[in-house]
Amino acid sequence: MSQSALASLPIEPELEPLIAPHGGTLKDLYLPYPEAQALKQRSAGLPALDLNTRQLCDLELLLNGAFSPLEGFLTEADYRRVVDELRLADGTLWPIPITLDVSEDFAATLASGAELVLRDAQGVPLAVLEVQDIYRPDREHEARQVFGTLDHAHPGVAELLERTRPVYLGGRLRGIQAPVHYDFGELRDTPRSLRAWFEANGWNRIVAFQTRNPMHRAHRELTLRAAQKVGAKLLIQPSVGRTKPGDVDHYTRVRCYRALLPQYPADSARLSLLPLAMRMGGPREAIWHAIIRKNYGATHFIVGRDHAGPGKDSSGQPFYGPFDAQHLLERYQEELGIQVVAFPAMVYAANRDAYVPATEVAADDEVRDISGTQLRRHLHEGTDIPAWFTFPEVVDILRERHPARAPRGFALFFTGLSGAGKSTIAQAVVAQLLEHTSRAVTVLDGDEVRKHLSRGLGFSREDRAANVTRIGYVASEIVRHGGVAVCAPIAPYADARAEARGLVEAHGDFIEIHVSTPLEVCEERDRKGLYAQARAGKIAQFTGISDPYEVPEQPEIRVDGSGAAPAVLAGHVLGLLKDRGLLAG
């Protein structure tokens, strides 16, 4: 069925609000069908905003009631109190800011009281926002309070500080229709439909399990024991909206979850997908996950070790302690409306041939484990994955998705001032790459891209960003097919570079290379006299003179184009690729 045909289907008529088991009211934000159709027709004449992936995920869960009691994107009063106190302005517990970010230019076209239609990437109208607030947040303060750090190695911080636009819009939503999903339709429940299923099947006690990774034997043992502990049925509800860069894609994960279901007793476990854009916010995110599962009808929620943790910071230390999430949830247990089931990690004791809670490991136990890195190595090398670790059905799916010895795609993204030596160093890197590998290497040089891919774009901030986004998109497609993309634009703005990174990292590795050649050296090298013309005011919007260059804070590698010969600098880049396992030594 076509997108347009699906868009014209009637939505579920408005029903009475559902009452959660612990007294909370669940009400979705969709209008009754006749009103929705009338608003859809009228929306053609309203200002419109096409939403990105995170915004679409947030909108879907706002509209279907998963984010109850929210009725839209946070106003400034709600936002400030959520950031500082984990509460809405009325005192209701809510830990994560749900915000709609836009550019300064777009915000300038709106006023309080305006209506804004929110659309998907195909331009289909999904909802109308009544703009109640237009405000400019302190995003660094938000990062410190919500994530506890300003370290860009944290994916939530990187998203907030590099890719989130500077103005937030707050207000109530009126839903026109739900976003369309073409995959796993039978597993995409709304809170209303899942609650109805629980009631129809006599499930009164439900313990929910959150995951963003494939599940193996340890996860099965943990969930089985947690369900038995509280006498509940099990809801496996993985996040499939947006997770951490580099995670296994949701298509593969869902296939793994389905293959795992027969390993549970009959009528004891149900799989349902959650289109959540995770922030990897550790303790705060754990509270958020618990509230969402309450809205879906769960009575209990499993919280394990380092729940929603993003890993290690730039100094190699974990962002959050292993039990920080459990401790924070304990503080708010009374008002959550769902019972938290804190559970230790399950580990395999080889001498017992059994999984045991980490808290019950004896001194003489032979504990074995396989990390995510080790699992990826087994898959890449085609070596045996032990039967104690996972199930053969899961291994088959992972091997199909990640065949042995298949090369992983990556993009080398050179950025720096005009004349810094980006293209020259890139050429040296390509030459040395081809000395070591026969893999396909595609060069996306800044000037060539401008001539072909981005013809017609100017040099405003918006056009520069569009140019970099196009480069990122093409690079992501090259990487998705296991190729190597070498990009060499100026790319002066951090948010545009971050967007390109996000596109590529959905499929492979993104290596940002800042060519940090000093401005005075770039001017000395300028054979075309562009810098001189810019200083004389003859060229407007020239990076480094009349337009800013935002220096990358944490590139994978930084090289000075005046500090060594291009071949030497190229050698540094190849050394990094070898260290990362992207190029054979």
Side-chain angles (χ1 to χ4, degrees), residues 79 83 138-162 310 312-315 319-320 553-554:
Y79 165 79
V83 167
D138 181 341
R139 286 176 290 164
E140 287 196 354
H141 178 72
E142 181 181 336
R144 289 192 193 95
Q145 294 295 104
V146 175
F147 301 114
T149 181
L150 292 179
D151 190 338
H152 288 238
H154 189 301
V157 173
E159 167 83 12
L160 179 61
L161 299 184
E162 296 176 6
K312 296 181 179 179
D313 62 20
S314 297
S315 63
F319 279 104
Y320 309 115
E553 293 186 8
Q554 293 181 322

Side-chain angles (χ1 to χ4, degrees), residues 6-28:
L6 280 165
S8 65
L9 289 175
I11 61 171
E12 183 179 38
E14 186 176 41
L15 303 174
E16 289 300 311
L18 291 176
I19 305 300
H22 299 275
T25 300
L26 174 72
K27 186 177 189 298
D28 65 42

Side-chain angles (χ1 to χ4, degrees), residues 429-441 574:
V429 167
V430 169
Q432 292 187 23
L433 270 175
L434 295 176
E435 287 184 15
H436 290 79
T437 179
S438 58
R439 295 176 64 179
V441 178
L574 263 68

